[in-house]
Amino acid sequence: MFIPRRIIFQKEALEYDMAKEILAKFNDKNTEIITLPSNKIKQYIPGTVLSQQYKEGKKTLVVGIKKGLKFQTCKPSAHYQMPLISGCMGQCEYCYLNTMLGDKPFVKVYANVDDILNQTMKYINERTPEETIFEGAATSDPVPVEPYTHSLEKAIIFFGGSEKGRFRFVTKYNDIDSLLKLEHRGHTEIRFSINTSSVIDKYEHFTASRDKRIEAGMKAVEAGYPVGFLIAPVFIYPDWKEEYRDLLLMLKSKLPKDLEFPVTFEIISHRYTTTAKNRILQVFPESMLPMNDEERKYKYGQFGYGKYVYPKESLDEIKEFFEKEIDRLFENKKVKYII
């Protein structure tokens, strides 16, 4: 659960029940409460150097209203992003949000969930009779703030009642018990971002352990949800194959034999931009992330900027390894992509 050091309520947010409930929950606790007359946020988050600003941002919860209700597209995993939350309490060194959310990457929740769900219905109706898939964690991890927002609960119930709408989100946390008894009708896929313990211990700060995430995944399976695992980012390091094989073997040992839905896999190799590298080394000056440009291949991406990726022979090795091991170990499964 996310315990914020400060909560900033933007203009008009306290007109909504979610914001009122968050204020009531924290008003008598050792949490700084700031009510803004405008929507300017960053001046209320302290810090003089980037590493300080980053850490203070990560301890800040902003409660606002989503006014522009045009949803962004979300290829390849969904048709649209569903803007329930932005930001994440985790401090993963490699995270691309390090460059997207500015110097003070606060967690922001939107109090007008009903407006967002009404807009969701409009998008579903536009594409009917086709199914429309919405991603709830494109720029966030919604699980740590769920005890305060109940946004996932509302979304899951909404999609459970929708014939042509589908919902999916991914998390590095395990506190999903409040979601297990909801009427989801199999219309929400819960995915868990997992990695080897070496990677998690070294680079994924303030997140749940590998075992806790897998344990939560099994709870979701037992509750009848479609469940997936995002193995990302995949790093090449000494004994990487043995450790990723152990990860898959552990997953296989926990999954029940009679899965109602195929378990899905999404595999993403580590990559970084020059901007991200510079930001990471400012925020985490002792970082041991493998970001040696000479050992990578520069590749232009679909959004007009380039990334440093593993060379083709390494990417081929990653793809061959995961295709072979997943096919060997799992029967009822679907590999969505390996990139």
Side-chain angles (χ1 to χ4, degrees):
M1 186 186 296
F2 178 39
I3 308 295
R5 178 171 290 174
R6 69 190 58 81
I7 304 177
I8 300 174
F9 292 91
Q10 287 186 282
K11 188 180 179 182
E12 301 174 10
L14 283 164
E15 296 175 11
Y16 292 84
D17 289 342
M18 179 199 294
K20 291 174 184 174
E21 290 168 11
I22 291 172
L23 178 61
K25 190 175 188 72
F26 286 94
N27 215 9
D28 58 350
K29 290 187 170 62
N30 190 26
T31 303
E32 183 182 7
I33 303 294
I34 302 168
T35 304
L36 299 187
S38 67
N39 287 327
K40 293 180 180 176
I41 298 168
K42 293 195 174 181
Q43 60 187 302
Y44 297 93
I45 303 174
T48 53
V49 297
L50 185 59
S51 58
Q52 224 176 9
Q53 293 169 341
Y54 172 88
K55 288 172 183 172
E56 290 297 336
K58 288 286 187 176
K59 295 170 185 173
T60 302
L61 175 64
V62 175
V63 184
I65 300 166
K66 185 67 176 174
K67 293 202 170 179
L69 288 172
K70 182 180 179 181
F71 292 7
Q72 300 294 314
T73 57
C74 193
K75 296 177 181 177
S77 65
H79 296 102
Y80 294 104
Q81 298 180 21
M82 191 172 176
L84 297 171
I85 294 151
S86 68
C88 172
M89 65 171 272
Q91 297 184 26
C92 299
E93 295 182 17
Y94 54 75
C95 181
Y96 76 99
L97 293 180
N98 289 335
T99 54
M100 284 186 62
L101 298 179
D103 297 346
K104 300 174 179 179
F106 50 82
V107 179
K108 184 172 186 179
V109 300
Y110 295 107
N112 57 329
V113 178
D114 290 340
D115 295 339
I116 295 168
L117 293 175
N118 289 338
Q119 182 65 29
T120 302
M121 180 58 75
K122 291 178 183 177
Y123 281 113
I124 293 170
N125 290 340
E126 284 175 6
R127 285 180 43 84
T128 299
E130 301 296 321
E131 284 186 358
T132 305
I133 304 169
F134 295 82
E135 171 61 64
T139 59
S140 69
D141 192 316
V143 168
V145 293
E146 176 64 13
Y148 315 139
T149 66
H150 309 292
S151 295
L152 288 176
E153 177 182 339
K154 289 181 179 179
I156 290 168
I157 292 170
F158 168 86
F159 283 100
S162 171
E163 292 305 319
K164 295 298 180 180
R166 297 293 182 270
F167 185 48
R168 65 201 310 259
F169 65 91
V170 63
T171 184
K172 290 180 179 174
Y173 296 90
N174 61 308
D175 187 13
I176 62 162
D177 288 3
S178 65
L179 310 178
L180 298 178
K181 294 184 179 180
L182 301 179
E183 283 289 331
H184 58 79
R185 292 179 61 212
H187 293 181
T188 291
E189 181 186 25
I190 303 180
R191 294 131 65 222
F192 294 86
S193 177
I194 58 173
N195 219 310
T196 66
S197 290
S198 295
V199 169
I200 291 172
D201 293 345
K202 197 177 290 186
Y203 305 127
E204 298 186 4
H205 314 301
F206 301 99
T207 63
S209 68
R210 178 198 68 173
D211 294 358
K212 291 281 188 186
R213 297 180 208 180
I214 292 176
E215 179 186 335
M218 298 311 108
K219 287 182 180 180
V221 168
E222 290 168 11
Y225 281 97
V227 170
F229 293 93
L230 175 66
I231 304 177
V234 173
F235 290 94
I236 292 179
Y237 57 92
D239 299 325
W240 69 273
K241 287 185 180 178
E242 288 77 5
E243 293 196 13
Y244 281 106
R245 185 177 292 113
D246 287 346
L247 176 67
L248 292 170
L249 283 167
M250 181 184 183
L251 197 54
K252 174 185 167 57
S253 72
K254 299 291 184 181
L255 279 168
K257 298 282 190 288
D258 54 342
L259 286 173
E260 185 176 352
F261 301 98
V263 60
T264 63
F265 290 94
E266 298 161 272
I267 319 291
I268 304 175
S269 59
H270 179 241
R271 66 274 317 277
Y272 62 89
T273 64
T274 299
T275 303
K277 177 180 177 178
N278 293 337
R279 174 62 60 90
I280 289 163
L281 293 176
Q282 284 179 284
V283 174
F284 303 101
E286 305 299 320
S287 178
M288 298 300 291
L289 273 173
M291 296 186 294
N292 186 342
D293 298 355
E294 287 71 34
E295 296 176 356
R296 299 296 183 104
K297 177 185 175 184
Y298 190 74
K299 179 181 179 183
Y300 281 101
Q302 59 177 315
F303 301 112
Y305 58 85
K307 299 179 181 181
Y308 286 95
V309 302
Y310 282 115
K312 183 179 184 301
E313 53 271 24
S314 298
L315 291 175
D316 288 345
E317 190 176 7
I318 289 171
K319 187 172 184 180
E320 181 183 359
F321 169 80
F322 280 101
E323 283 180 343
K324 179 181 175 183
E325 292 301 317
I326 290 172
D327 188 59
R328 179 175 71 88
L329 293 172
F330 301 93
E331 293 182 8
N332 194 5
K333 84 284 187 177
K334 181 178 181 181
V335 179
K336 295 203 165 183
Y337 52 81
I338 303 175
I339 58 175

